[in-house]
Amino acid sequence: MEIKVYEAVAKTLGRLGVARAFGLVGSGNFGLVDHMTRNCGVAFYASRHEEAAVAMADGYARVSGKLGVCTVHQGPGVTNTLTALTEAVKNSTPLLLLAGDTATTALYQNLDVDQGAVVRSVGTGVEHVRAAHTALEDVARAVRRATFERRPIFISLPIDLQEQMCEAEEPPAFAEELVPAARPSVEAVARVVELLEASSRPAIIAGRGAVLASARPQLEALGERVGALFSTSMMARGFFTGSPFDLGVSGGFASPLAARLLGEADVVLSFGASLNAWTTKHGSLFSPSARIVHCDLEMAAIGRIHPVTLGVVGDAAETAGALVENLDCRGVSLEGFRTEAVLQDIEGFSWEEEFEDRSGDGAVDPRTVLMALDKLLPEQRTVAVDCGHFAGFPARHLSVPDAAGFVFAEAFQAVGLGLGAGMGAAVARPDRLAVVVVGDGGLLMSLGELDAAVHLGIPLLIVVMNDAGYGAEVHHFRSLGLPTDLARFRETDFAAVARAIGAEGIEMRTTSDLDRIEGWVGAPEGVMVLDCRVNPEVEGEYLREAFVTEA
């Protein structure tokens, strides 16, 4: 039986296991979206802007571990995706972006642009629908590439080609050779073990690569064998939640205790972390005498940013397992960092003792309010954080149950992607309350998505760190003795805006105002906006490092 190409593409997506898609419809993709939602079992979540649509697909993929799928109109629909698409590229997110395209016969059409060149410019892979009879194969190939290359893949669907007829076939099966996870060389394992045997204070840092390899059991076994403490990159935050030896995030966002202990490590084992400036505190976190072992699947990533003592090419789980096996054979078992004194330091650490609360005069200290909110929220939660000065506060003070519970929309350091990412995360894990922490500037950039969240009925708690300005720029310009007026704006009543759109909204001026959302948190329904008027004078010390990175 023959059907139209857009119908065949929709069926192909459904048959390949796509259950959720995000996007915004126009004439170039309306038929596709209409058919896949009515006839192919694919639920569609519409945004108000294409940037947010890609951010939703990105957040969904990062939390669910599945392919993110987004579809947009041609021309400006594609160019509108670029900021979020760049974020997804930098996150190594498996994402399929399907866009309409101008007719192959069109001349000087307003919407015409070289869409492939546009998305290639930010690192996205490109596939083409070559003809009606190859459409299913082409789309299936794009899905396969996005999944196995772990990056966004873009495919254009010219509107005249979509209306052509093709056979309604099953999508082609690409033969996959079963490739076992890469194991490190015997020589590399032996050399790492020799470093560990001589170590008295080892530390293990897990990055996104360790999360993707599901390497926690192997890393915990390794840590127990050599007495290592655990830490993570920001993108892997929550990976070791529940371990008594978890120090939390490494680097610029680390707690003072974590910074001190990691600075005392004599061997640092990095698994699937890039060891970038954030994770290493611009190279100042570790002792100059520390021996650093960098394990990664990609040889080119090893030592690319931070000098290392030894590089190991291999999967995080396989490498950790091989190290444990070698240590077993040698009969090596070390106390390392795991002394009673260190354990007491970790158990006794409290953020409340690290600063003086600066709430007052109708404004709250962002640290105080987030620590109070942390106690109120259910343990099973997903926290999505937008970019901005405030971002380090929730990254430190809102706990998460695991690495899937934290979405840090900062790989491109673009303000305004957090709300979309949080909405996608909420779709991925409806069993968990989704919490989006966003600055007032970021919410104003993405305000239309507040309406989309209300329309979609996604239970969502939006916490606005409202300091009436772009806080990062205010603090930075002020430190340079420059005027800050251009980075400030009048106060916005986001609680009132939320109510006008159809959400619930509460203005918060003291921590006692959190009592007003306790009932909602216990039975979340719809969207709740908590407009926190924060003290604009509270500066995160990590901010200075951000501008050092830019220098």
Side-chain angles (χ1 to χ4, degrees):
M1 180 182 71
E2 286 195 336
I3 58 176
K4 292 186 176 181
V5 166
Y6 73 81
E7 296 173 321
V9 171
K11 286 184 179 295
T12 297
L13 294 176
R15 288 168 175 172
L16 290 174
V18 175
R20 305 283 185 273
F22 306 87
L24 196 152
V25 297
S27 60
N29 66 339
F30 179 81
L32 169 70
V33 173
D34 180 59
H35 193 73
M36 72 182 186
T37 54
R38 286 195 296 109
N39 302 306
C40 305
V42 180
F44 182 69
Y45 297 84
S47 67
R48 297 295 178 265
H49 190 280
E50 290 87 356
E51 179 180 82
V54 173
M56 290 164 72
D58 185 11
Y60 173 84
R62 290 169 64 179
V63 170
S64 69
K66 301 175 181 178
L67 176 72
V69 176
C70 180
T71 177
V72 298
H73 187 49
Q74 64 262 32
V78 173
T79 59
N80 279 348
T81 68
L82 286 184
T83 299
L85 197 58
T86 307
E87 172 81 11
V89 168
K90 289 179 177 287
N91 282 323
S92 298
T93 299
L95 191 152
L96 178 68
L97 177 59
L98 298 106
D101 202 352
T102 51
T104 57
T105 57
L107 272 179
Y108 305 109
Q109 217 272 354
N110 291 65
L111 300 176
D112 189 31
V113 67
D114 188 342
Q115 297 184 160
V118 167
V119 299
R120 278 195 189 95
S121 69
V122 299
T124 299
V126 176
E127 282 289 341
H128 298 279
V129 175
R130 295 165 291 164
H133 70 277
T134 67
L136 301 190
E137 179 183 334
D138 297 332
V139 171
R141 181 185 299 106
V143 169
R144 176 181 180 275
R145 285 188 61 193
T147 302
F148 285 93
E149 294 179 23
R150 297 203 64 82
R151 64 165 173 157
I153 300 295
F154 172 82
I155 188 164
S156 288
L157 303 171
I159 56 175
D160 55 339
L161 188 147
Q162 289 186 50
E163 294 293 331
Q164 295 178 23
M165 306 300 289
C166 67
E167 290 294 329
E169 302 171 342
E170 289 287 332
F174 288 92
E176 295 294 347
E177 181 182 353
L178 293 178
V179 180
R183 285 183 68 86
S185 69
V186 174
E187 293 78 10
V189 170
R191 290 183 62 187
V192 176
V193 169
E194 288 170 3
L195 290 177
L196 290 171
E197 281 186 293
S199 169
S200 60
R201 299 180 306 279
I204 291 173
I205 297 178
R208 187 69 178 160
V211 176
L212 295 174
S214 301
R216 177 167 175 168
Q218 294 85 349
L219 292 178
E220 286 192 315
L222 176 60
E224 182 176 356
R225 177 53 60 101
V226 299
L229 298 180
F230 296 128
S231 187
T232 72
S233 69
M234 183 59 81
M235 293 304 180
R237 183 169 183 258
F239 188 60
F240 292 116
T241 293
S243 168
F245 300 102
D246 178 20
L247 298 176
V249 173
S250 170
F253 293 112
S255 70
L257 176 64
R260 175 174 68 80
L261 291 174
L262 290 172
E264 295 173 2
D266 56 8
V267 173
V268 178
L269 304 173
S270 170
F271 292 88
S274 67
L275 295 180
N276 61 27
W278 292 103
T279 306
T280 66
K281 204 174 176 66
H282 292 275
S284 67
L285 180 64
F286 308 126
S287 165
S289 62
R291 314 289 280 175
I292 298 177
V293 178
H294 193 178
C295 170
D296 202 282
L297 275 175
E298 298 182 18
M299 181 179 295
I302 295 173
R304 179 168 54 194
I305 301 173
H306 190 283
V308 300
T309 306
L310 180 64
V312 180
V313 178
D315 172 82
E318 291 290 333
T319 301
L323 290 172
V324 171
E325 291 172 7
N326 195 294
L327 290 163
D328 282 343
C329 291
R330 300 186 187 209
V332 177
S333 182
L334 307 171
E335 179 184 50
F337 259 128
R338 298 192 175 189
T339 65
E340 187 63 31
V342 170
L343 187 59
Q344 287 179 3
D345 283 346
I346 295 174
E347 292 176 346
F349 175 78
S350 171
W351 274 110
E352 284 90 341
E353 299 175 3
E354 296 298 325
F355 69 91
E356 179 182 349
D357 182 13
R358 296 175 63 185
S359 300
D361 296 326
V364 293
D365 188 311
R367 300 163 295 188
T368 302
V369 69
L370 288 169
M371 283 187 283
L373 183 63
D374 187 58
K375 297 173 183 176
L376 177 65
L377 295 173
E379 182 179 344
Q380 293 300 309
R381 64 185 76 159
T382 304
V383 176
V385 181
D386 196 35
C387 184
H389 162 248
F390 71 91
F393 299 134
R396 284 176 163 178
H397 303 309
L398 288 183
S399 58
V400 292
D402 49 37
F406 187 67
V407 180
F408 202 53
E410 292 220 17
F412 192 36
Q413 293 192 344
V415 175
L417 300 179
L419 180 52
M423 291 165 65
V427 172
R429 290 298 302 264
D431 57 316
R432 291 179 170 179
L433 175 61
V435 182
V436 176
V437 188
V438 60
D440 48 332
L443 186 54
L444 287 170
M445 282 188 180
S446 55
L447 197 56
E449 306 319 317
L450 177 57
D451 177 71
V454 171
H455 177 75
L456 293 168
I458 299 175
L460 200 65
L461 174 61
I462 301 174
V463 182
V464 190
M465 298 284 101
N466 187 355
D467 62 0
Y470 291 115
E473 283 68 29
V474 169
H475 290 294
H476 181 53
F477 296 159
R478 184 165 54 195
S479 72
L480 297 175
L482 299 172
T484 60
D485 294 349
L486 295 177
R488 297 181 185 271
F489 32 84
R490 65 182 181 84
E491 287 191 353
T492 301
D493 187 344
F494 288 104
V497 172
R499 291 190 293 268
I501 289 177
E504 295 186 60
I506 292 176
E507 185 180 63
M508 180 174 181
R509 290 190 175 273
T510 69
T511 53
S512 62
D513 289 327
L514 281 178
D515 296 341
R516 299 167 62 191
I517 69 165
E518 187 171 359
W520 184 91
V521 168
E525 184 177 353
V527 178
M528 169 65 76
V529 174
L530 184 63
D531 183 4
C532 303
R533 301 299 177 96
V534 299
N535 182 348
E537 301 305 314
V538 176
E539 179 184 3
E541 74 283 356
Y542 49 79
L543 180 68
R544 300 182 190 95
E545 295 184 17
F547 289 107
V548 170
T549 302
E550 290 185 358

